[in-house]
Amino acid sequence: GANDFLKLSDHLYDYIFLSDCIYTQEAIDPIITTLKILSSRKTRIIIGQELRWPTLFEEFLQALENEKFSCLL
């Protein structure tokens, strides 16, 4: 539940892996919110994504950059 998520957010991670997680525009904000909660400036976020919808993935990358995440492709 929500309490478990709050307990989890007390920990910052060295690495976070995402795989095929961008399917809809509605998923972008919750994913970014989760990344902001679980990461620090030292966290490396590794994303594996099959480019089924390239425009949507570009929107996700732009949203990450807007939130001050650095993206290397």
Side-chain angles (χ1 to χ4, degrees):
N3 289 335
D4 293 332
F5 186 74
L6 292 175
K7 288 179 196 171
L8 184 65
S9 69
D10 289 340
H11 305 283
L12 300 178
Y13 294 91
D14 296 325
Y15 293 93
I16 297 172
F17 296 88
L18 302 173
S19 179
D20 289 325
C21 59
I22 304 301
Y23 289 96
T24 66
Q25 186 176 22
E26 292 78 18
I28 293 174
D29 286 340
I31 290 170
I32 291 175
T33 298
T34 302
L35 292 174
K36 288 168 55 176
I37 290 169
L38 298 177
S39 65
S40 72
R41 295 180 61 88
K42 295 180 181 181
T43 302
R44 299 293 176 243
I45 300 168
I46 293 133
I47 302 169
Q49 181 73 33
E50 184 174 337
L51 291 179
R52 294 175 185 92
W53 304 281
T55 305
L56 183 61
F57 189 67
E58 288 293 326
E59 187 177 331
F60 174 61
L61 293 178
Q62 184 61 54
L64 285 170
E65 290 179 0
N66 290 346
E67 292 295 330
K68 308 300 184 220
F69 285 92
S70 297
C71 299
L72 301 174
L73 302 174

